[in-house]
Amino acid sequence: MTLTSANYRSMRHRKQLYSFLLTALVGVLFFAAFGVTEDRNAGDFLSGFTRILDFPSELVAESAANARGLPALMVGFLPALIETLNIAITATLIGSTVAMLGALFAAHGLMPSTLSVLTMRRIFDLLRAIPEIVVALVLIFVLGGGPVPAMIAIALHTIGSLGKLFAEINDNADLRPIQGLSATGASWFQTMWFGLLPQTMPGYFSYILLRLEVNIRASAILGFVGAGGIGYEFKNAITWGQGRYDDAAALFLMLFATIIILDAASGRIRKTLSEGG
Amino acid sequence: MTDASHKTALNIHRHMRARVVAAAALPLLTLFYLAYVGFAFDVPKLMREAEGRNAAILLRDASHYKIHVDTPAGQIKPSVSVEGERKGRYADDRLPAWVEPGTTQTIIDLGADGSVSVRPTITTIFTADGQFEILRDGRKLRLVTAPDIVPENMRVGPRRITLTGDNSRVTITPRGTLVYRYFFGWEMFWFARDSRFADMSLATLMRVAAVGDRVDPEHTNVRVMLSDIWHNPVWRHNEVVWAIGETLLMAFLGTLGGAILATPLALLAARNINPLAPVRAFIRRVLDFVRGVDALVWTIVLARAFGPGPMTGALAIMITDAGGLGKLFSEAAESANQRTLEGVKSTGAGSAPLLRFGLLPQILPVLVSQTLYLFESNIRSATIVGAIVGGGIGLLITQSLATQKDWEEVAYYLSLIIVMIMFVDHLSSRLRLWLIHGDK
């Protein structure tokens, strides 16, 4: 026994000291950073904190007065919601298809060439790093307004994030079926289709569902900066201010309901998938 | 074959057929959906109206800069500036070598595109296609000499004549002659025109920095150089660095604050920690609500209360994250090993030591790694939230996007964002591995 009890105790003390210092450092950083951002903010924290409910309560008061009109408003905004959903679904479909193809070239077990794996992964990193909002605004300049720029922007981001996750799934795939198939003389496409996809598809699918949720939120946000859909209506209603708060409330309820329903549905589907049902 | 095995075979058969139908139906449905979306998004109209020219302008502007040579009618002496900005004006005694002002005319050399001679009333353009002489006659323009065929890149009107070359553009109006010459690169990136180091090459700069006489007797040359770069009025490097810092701060505050808020809520929502079912259900509904309300809505509500700025952005990220992390943390707590907890409880430990020694060691790695994951994605969110609340690099990039002409700034900010995100990704994945495995 080289570890004496005094020795042990001193190590323990040192460890406690380190964790204490680390926690203190993070705490000090946190409050210092908060102070910096508060200085550069238009309003300060304390006075803002007391006003935090002003806007929601104004909104609720006005829309409660007009509660009967809300369903009609919601029906009126339905096309906008459908556009937002279409942007998200199309972007997810296109993005995940490209990501699936790309991920085949980004997995160590499937590609003998390290160069292809590294290049593909860097491309995915790059696509994830570019903020959707920038791509969307640049594309609006080139393609004109409308839903397509937003869709392309979200699809590019989807390729980046799903590509990385799919490549990780492919890395963990069992290589024996693939080797067995290629030993029978199957083509590369057949090997992937019958050897790889049956094992990786459930994993892919659950990530795609999660991504769809994220993309619906992204699609709403992009609408806010001018790409159409429910986000755009939201911006109009809010900048109009009093008098159109019932619009804002209707839009809020629609977005909220969509996200909740989608969250529940995709949670259930993923559960079924992971239980192998 | 027994009846039972026959039935199983039939079932398998039916099952297989259902799968084949599903396998055929899914791609078909997808195709139908895409076709519908193509019409809903009006793709044909988009194809007709897409501005291919805008893409070319964008690419050229993002990678090139132009120098304006502006000579008012009736004069010879040109005013030369980068992109026509006052901040980018060349001093009259330090004009670029390709602009030669003389006593009777100014010769502007346009490289492969030819050259231009500017006199008070007559402007002559020399190109590979021939010679064009334009006379300014009162408020009208007259093409005095020109080759028989006017080239395609020339537009001739009574009040405006333009000739667009590969790397230049000459515009003649009754008010004067304006010549653009394009150069590859980002102009004045390090030193603006008003800096004393503006025209120096890298070698000269190094020599001046190392052994040159002091430009400013008070400070060393290196210091003056750094200060000139930092205060560059065109690229505003100091503001950009601040903006990046703000974005990082928003993400840091939002993630850490979200994690701090989420922890007690998660413990109250975990079945194995909190025995009070109604409280649990209530906290869960609160977390669901916070997650269900989009980050966009939180941002708008908070911007009303706190005004625009980075703190508002940080608070918006904080609230959104508290919802997401609260759910993840409570799931982590519920899946913690129950026997460890019971073991600690059996020693007679109160609730604080129970959490500290029974629960925390089990869930801390999950907590930290989830929080770090979120930090990575929050750097991206902070860029977008910043564009809405008016803080950080998100604000700068949307401002330069809004003008639809400063594409080189967009390209610059975009590259900075990419570098920042990749750097943070790398750092946090290293940190995650180190925290989980205890080594690198």
Side-chain angles (χ1 to χ4, degrees), chain B residues 113-142:
Chain B
D113 288 345
S115 65
V116 183
S117 138
V118 184
R119 277 171 285 172
T121 50
I122 297 175
T123 301
T124 319
I125 311 171
F126 304 92
T127 70
D129 292 322
Q131 184 181 334
F132 304 86
E133 203 169 44
I134 295 125
L135 177 71
R136 205 173 277 113
D137 185 8
R139 297 187 55 192
K140 276 210 176 128
L141 297 176
R142 257 193 308 137

Side-chain angles (χ1 to χ4, degrees), chain B residues 334-353:
Chain B
E334 282 181 355
S335 63
N337 190 338
Q338 206 56 38
R339 270 178 290 183
T340 318
L341 281 173
E342 277 159 17
V344 177
K345 205 184 263 177
S346 71
T347 64
S351 55

Side-chain angles (χ1 to χ4, degrees), chain B residues 17-33:
Chain B
R17 188 132 40 118
R19 286 198 64 161
V20 168
V21 170
L26 210 62
L28 260 179
L29 274 177
T30 314
L31 267 182
F32 271 126
Y33 176 73

Side-chain angles (χ1 to χ4, degrees), chain B residues 194-214:
Chain B
D194 63 2
S195 163
R196 278 153 292 195
F197 306 102
D199 292 319
M200 294 183 186
S201 67
L202 185 62
T204 324
L205 277 174
M206 277 159 70
R207 196 168 44 77
V208 171
V211 293
D213 292 334
R214 282 191 171 191

Side-chain angles (χ1 to χ4, degrees), chain A residues 7-129:
Chain A
N7 205 336
Y8 172 76
R9 207 168 296 149
S10 89
M11 276 172 78
R12 214 180 116 76
H13 277 297
R14 189 179 301 165
K15 199 186 154 204
Q16 278 174 345
L17 182 70
Y18 282 167
S19 4
F20 173 75
L21 283 179
L22 192 71
T23 319
L25 183 73
V26 171
V28 168
L29 263 177
F30 183 79
F31 285 105
F34 196 82
V36 170
T37 54
E38 192 181 8
D39 278 348
R40 296 173 75 86
N41 214 64
D44 64 320
F45 181 73
L46 283 178
S47 65
F49 198 73
T50 53
R51 283 198 305 262
I52 205 162
L53 286 176
D54 288 3
F55 178 53
S57 55
E58 249 176 68
L59 212 146
V60 169
E62 192 181 316
S63 46
N66 193 13
R68 283 174 178 209
L70 280 186
L73 283 176
M74 284 191 199
V75 172
F77 285 127
L78 212 53
L81 179 67
I82 291 176
E83 182 165 89
T84 296
L85 290 177
N86 277 341
I87 292 174
I89 296 172
T90 318
T92 314
L93 271 176
I94 296 175
S96 55
T97 313
V98 178
M100 268 184 229
L101 281 175
L104 294 178
F105 300 94
H108 291 289
L110 306 175
M111 268 288 129
S113 137
T114 325
L115 184 71
S116 134
V117 173
L118 286 182
T119 345
M120 249 2 254
R121 297 206 166 188
R122 280 298 88 76
I123 293 176
F124 289 150
D125 286 349
L126 196 71
L127 288 174
R128 261 180 305 131

